[in-house]
Amino acid sequence: MATVREMTPGSQDLATFQTVVQQQEAIFGPLQGIGGEGMNNIMTFVIGPSPDAARATILVTYTGHPPAKDGFQLVAIGTCLVSGAPVQVAAYRPTP
Amino acid sequence: MSAHGARSIILVSGMAVLSGCVGVDTAVMFTTDNLGVNISPTPTPTAEIGFSRQEGVIAPALENGAVIPGAASVYHSVPTFLPLATESGAVFAGGQAAAQLLTEPGGTAGDAKACISRAPTDSSGHPVITSGKARPMFFGTTTSIGFRISIPNPSGDVPFPNVHLGYKRNEAAIAPVSGKPDGCADDAAGNKYAVYVPSFLAVIRNTAGQQPGAGVQGNVNGSFNVGQVFATGIAATEAARLPAIGESFRIAAGQTAQGATGTNLQVVTVVPKQLNDRQRRAAEVVKALDQAKTDRLAALLGIPQGPGAQIEILKAIAAVTTTTQFEPLAARIKAVSGEDV
């Protein structure tokens, strides 16, 4: 399964970071992983059919364990930079 | 200077003499690049192991230090001392194509010209740059990747074989310089006379023993991929606008993630929704292409063909940040797939 990694600045707020993830999913395919590296965030995508807009990934910050969300499945978690600060971020996708 | 450099200068200078006056009405630009083992008995005995490169320009220096644009870059990513397991790229450009390479992705370069107050003259007052006169231009490259041994001619000039293992490339351009009396009407300094050189561009990018674009960490298969672009005139200028070619130039300049970190990560950010909708459509079309069409599209985009071509094309789509930048990409996708994107 081919994957590709892309990088986006860690200075972005969570909404912008989420938009970047969704826009890149539209090009490459579903998000597989997220994490911080240096001053940036790294996103890993699986090359394949892109999710519909209605099933695009959303990002949520959390502490402790990522919460379960009704109607969503957890896709990935990682320590990312949001507005320049390291936080725990969970990526969810709406279930069909 | 090594024999390589000396030989190249002799080569290009010899040809330049035939076509004009070097450094006055003709610009000469050349590079030679070797990575690996190079043993060459002529014209001067040379033995090189490792990386060597010569670059040179002979061009008219106009008033106030103005010169015409040219640009060259090269990069090699070598995981071990194994000449075929490298990722390499070289960009060689002049005129408008060179100016375009130095423009931010998605931007359009201004006219690549030098503005001076009047037509340059020699010491006798005669104009040295003419307009409206056709003159020859030479532009060429040679590339060798792998193992090459020339057959010696014991009774001739080459009694011993030339041996080369690795990557070796020569690039040279001999370009006539032209002038236009009113070509700088909008120059802020009031200089009206414009001096130009033709637009030319040559790009090579190869990966071997690894997935294209994966950098030194991506040794996943035994493939060998190489892509080359060679163009002059408006074709060169348009090719210089392609994201993949700009990326090759910026990698060598250390302006991309690969140059900075060795991990070949592309920096992406938010783009307008309308553009992202077109990127999505383009990606869908690319993902549906068979390997032959993917390779055709890769060739049009200056991307190495092979198993990793699809990912590199998708990355080129992702790198687009403006509609203007997207259009040439869309045109090439349509040319291969027949699909509007």
Side-chain angles (χ1 to χ4, degrees):
Chain A
M1 186 180 346
T3 61
V4 64
R5 297 204 310 159
E6 296 278 81
M7 184 162 63
T8 194
S11 57
Q12 296 167 337
D13 60 26
L14 189 65
T16 305
F17 183 21
Q18 176 178 291
T19 303
V20 171
V21 168
Q22 293 174 348
Q23 292 193 337
Q24 297 303 305
E25 278 192 318
I27 298 168
F28 294 108
L31 179 76
Q32 185 187 60
I34 51 173
E37 188 173 297
M39 300 300 291
N40 299 292
N41 291 318
I42 309 296
M43 306 159 288
T44 304
F45 301 94
V46 179
I47 302 296
S50 295
D52 297 337
R55 295 202 64 226
T57 294
I58 64 165
L59 301 182
V60 175
T61 60
Y62 69 94
T63 54
H65 292 282
K69 286 173 66 73
D70 286 345
F72 291 84
Q73 68 181 93
L74 183 65
V75 173
I77 58 171
T79 303
C80 301
L81 289 172
V82 175
S83 300
V87 294
Q88 293 295 114
V89 176
Y92 297 89
R93 187 182 314 286
T95 50
Chain B
M1 177 179 295
S2 73
H4 261 48
R7 185 169 53 199
S8 296
I9 289 177
I10 291 166
L11 172 70
V12 297
S13 298
M15 288 183 289
V17 165
L18 298 176
S19 61
C21 189
V22 174
V24 179
D25 65 354
T26 301
V28 172
M29 179 172 166
F30 74 91
T31 71
T32 69
D33 192 12
N34 175 66
L35 180 68
V37 177
N38 178 47
I39 300 172
S40 176
T42 59
T44 304
T46 299
E48 295 173 317
I49 301 175
F51 172 70
S52 68
R53 179 170 170 87
Q54 294 83 39
E55 300 163 321
V57 171
I58 306 172
L62 306 166
E63 65 183 39
N64 301 322
V67 292
I68 47 188
S73 70
V74 67
Y75 69 90
H76 300 287
S77 176
V78 187
T80 59
F81 187 74
L82 183 59
L84 284 179
T86 66
E87 179 170 350
S88 300
V91 180
F92 181 76
Q96 193 69 38
Q100 185 62 47
L101 286 174
L102 294 168
T103 303
E104 287 295 310
T108 299
D111 264 0
K113 60 190 177 188
C115 293
I116 56 179
S117 62
R118 60 186 182 283
T121 58
D122 62 15
S123 57
S124 304
H126 296 115
V128 295
I129 296 176
T130 59
S131 55
K133 179 181 175 184
R135 287 187 290 136
M137 172 181 172
F138 169 83
F139 174 40
T141 71
T142 66
T143 305
S144 169
I145 301 172
F147 180 68
R148 187 174 75 171
I149 181 167
S150 66
I151 305 300
N153 176 9
S155 61
D157 295 337
V158 188
F160 303 103
N162 290 340
V163 179
H164 178 257
L165 174 64
Y167 171 97
K168 183 178 176 182
R169 180 167 170 88
N170 299 311
E171 301 160 324
I174 303 170
V177 178
S178 60
K180 188 175 180 183
D182 57 352
C184 290
D186 54 350
D187 183 60
N191 295 316
K192 304 296 184 192
Y193 194 91
V195 179
Y196 301 87
V197 290
S199 183
F200 58 87
L201 174 73
V203 180
I204 189 167
R205 193 168 173 180
N206 83 278
T207 57
Q210 54 186 283
Q211 197 171 48
V216 297
Q217 305 300 323
N219 197 337
V220 297
N221 58 39
S223 64
F224 176 83
N225 310 285
V226 63
Q228 175 148 348
V229 174
F230 186 86
T232 59
I234 188 68
T237 303
E238 288 300 310
R241 294 167 62 89
L242 295 175
I245 288 178
E247 184 194 49
S248 290
F249 187 79
R250 289 188 293 278
I251 286 173
Q255 292 181 357
T256 67
Q258 183 182 44
T261 68
T263 54
N264 195 26
L265 295 185
Q266 181 168 275
V267 179
V268 292
T269 188
V270 176
V271 299
K273 183 180 182 306
Q274 187 179 16
L275 173 60
N276 188 241
D277 288 344
R278 295 186 69 188
Q279 288 174 310
R280 173 192 283 269
R281 171 69 182 140
E284 284 173 356
V285 171
V286 168
K287 289 175 194 171
L289 295 177
D290 60 25
Q291 188 61 50
K293 288 185 175 178
T294 300
D295 283 343
R296 277 179 54 204
L297 179 57
L300 289 175
L301 297 173
I303 291 171
Q305 301 173 34
Q310 184 192 69
I311 290 178
E312 292 301 306
I313 294 169
L314 294 174
K315 290 173 75 172
I317 293 170
V320 168
T321 56
T322 67
T323 302
T324 304
Q325 196 179 4
F326 184 78
E327 295 303 346
L329 197 54
R332 286 162 177 82
I333 292 171
K334 183 175 183 180
V336 171
S337 68
E339 301 278 350
D340 281 313
V341 297

